[in-house]
Amino acid sequence: MSMLRRLSIPRSAWSSHPHWPTQTLLLGSHDSFRQISRQLITQTAADDHVDWVALVYPQWIWGMRRHEAYEEHKLYPYLTRRWGIDFDHARQGHQQLHEADDAVRRALEQWNRDGHRSALLAALQEHDRVLDEHLEHEETRVIPALLELTPQQFEDYRSRSLPELMRQLDEAEGPPERLPGSA
């Protein structure tokens, strides 16, 4: 399967694309992940409600892991089959997030023992850095591909299971499509 080198729609043009309002649900989740991450850092830096951080953090990670599972078990396989996009780097980003999460959890345990927040703040900041890098990369791969789908194709994607989608693509003749303007 060929790797897509460049996508046809630069980030600066996404919001003017005719499919923008209906085919970018992913960005809402990503924006929420970024906002919560920064709020956790702000609360910890200010030593303001670190108990809240300890309560919210695991729930937030649980939500991100559900989102990640959706990406790895439906979104990535579909876009790989449909457009030939390689998601190895995005999957590695998920692994890096797991490693950063482990560091935050260790720092939370340390905070519970000694009440010092410096290690927790550093771990949350590193997690935020990894999260931003991952989301930026993922969005530049996924959003242009989703915008290239017609509204009906996007609705089919959204409402059908991955096996149904793969059968539909298998029934269409030929190799994976290439995004217009891709190299």
Side-chain angles (χ1 to χ4, degrees), residues 1-8 75-91 137-149 176-179 182:
M1 191 170 300
S2 59
M3 185 174 138
L4 189 62
R5 288 187 223 133
R6 294 302 276 155
L7 299 175
S8 63
L75 183 66
Y76 294 175
Y78 176 74
L79 294 178
T80 296
R81 174 63 177 87
R82 177 76 191 231
W83 303 115
I85 300 172
D86 182 333
F87 284 101
D88 287 344
H89 188 272
R91 285 184 180 94
H137 170 78
E138 186 175 76
E139 289 166 3
T140 61
R141 305 294 280 173
V142 169
I143 299 303
L146 292 177
L147 291 174
E148 288 294 337
L149 298 173
E177 294 182 45
R178 308 260 314 157
L179 286 170
S182 63

Side-chain angles (χ1 to χ4, degrees), residues 47-60:
D47 201 18
D48 191 23
H49 307 293
V50 178
D51 288 333
W52 176 85
V53 171
L55 177 67
V56 169
Y57 180 80
Q59 296 171 10
W60 174 61

Side-chain angles (χ1 to χ4, degrees), residues 126-146:
E126 176 61 12
H127 188 280
D128 185 68
R129 185 195 65 74
V130 172
L131 178 66
D132 273 344
E133 182 180 294
H134 168 71
L135 295 178
E136 176 71 23
H137 170 78
E138 186 175 76
E139 289 166 3
T140 61
R141 305 294 280 173
V142 169
I143 299 303
L146 292 177

Side-chain angles (χ1 to χ4, degrees), residues 43-132:
Q43 298 284 343
T44 302
D47 201 18
D48 191 23
H49 307 293
V50 178
D51 288 333
W52 176 85
V53 171
L55 177 67
V56 169
Y57 180 80
Q59 296 171 10
W60 174 61
I61 291 297
W62 182 86
M64 285 203 309
R65 292 279 169 87
R66 301 297 63 80
H67 179 87
E68 178 184 300
Y70 154 76
E71 290 171 341
E72 292 204 8
H73 298 292
K74 185 173 183 184
L75 183 66
Y76 294 175
Y78 176 74
L79 294 178
T80 296
R81 174 63 177 87
R82 177 76 191 231
W83 303 115
I85 300 172
D86 182 333
F87 284 101
D88 287 344
H89 188 272
R91 285 184 180 94
Q92 290 170 1
H94 287 160
Q95 181 57 40
Q96 291 169 338
L97 281 168
H98 290 214
E99 293 165 10
D101 169 46
D102 290 342
V104 171
R105 289 176 191 270
R106 285 191 303 274
L108 276 167
E109 289 172 10
Q110 181 181 348
W111 172 78
N112 279 326
R113 283 191 307 273
D114 63 25
H116 296 309
R117 62 187 163 79
S118 59
L120 176 58
L121 180 59
L124 286 167
Q125 289 169 331
E126 176 61 12
H127 188 280
D128 185 68
R129 185 195 65 74
V130 172
L131 178 66
D132 273 344

